[in-house]
Amino acid sequence: MNIGTLQMTPVKLLGQIGDAGSKVVDETKTAKSFGQFLTDALKETNALQKNSEQMDMALAAGKVDDISKVVVASEKAQIALNLTMSLRNKAVDAYQEIMRMQV
């Protein structure tokens, strides 16, 4: 059994699965900025909301055979929206705390 060396950055461990001689994937080229990550998360939340609305409309029109799919889509959208609102509230709280700090 080959035991690899211990590294201080756990992020690089994701690219080092396999033997010790394998090449490490450069995470800096594929890493997203915080703004891009936030934008992607908001787009995903919006897509879940739109999917839920479409499923609701299809249910009202009688085009859906399985009601559980509509309920699952609605719950996914609700959970994503609750998470988004919680993150927004935490960000606003952090901003207000920073603004209260004395320099």
Side-chain angles (χ1 to χ4, degrees), residues 11-62:
V11 175
K12 289 187 179 182
L13 292 176
L14 295 175
Q16 294 179 349
I17 298 173
D19 62 333
S22 65
K23 293 183 180 179
V24 176
V25 177
D26 187 16
E27 289 92 8
T28 58
K29 293 180 182 177
T30 60
K32 292 187 213 178
S33 67
F34 179 73
Q36 185 63 38
F37 178 75
L38 190 61
T39 302
D40 291 346
L42 289 174
K43 286 180 183 178
E44 181 67 26
T45 300
N46 190 34
L48 287 171
Q49 289 287 330
K50 286 182 179 181
N51 184 32
S52 175
E53 288 177 10
Q54 289 175 352
M55 295 289 283
D56 288 342
M57 295 298 274
L59 178 66

Side-chain angles (χ1 to χ4, degrees), residues 88-102:
R88 180 198 61 123
N89 292 340
K90 288 288 185 183
V92 169
D93 289 342
Y95 174 76
Q96 289 174 348
E97 185 68 28
I98 290 170
M99 293 306 292
R100 282 189 290 238
M101 290 175 60
Q102 303 226 350

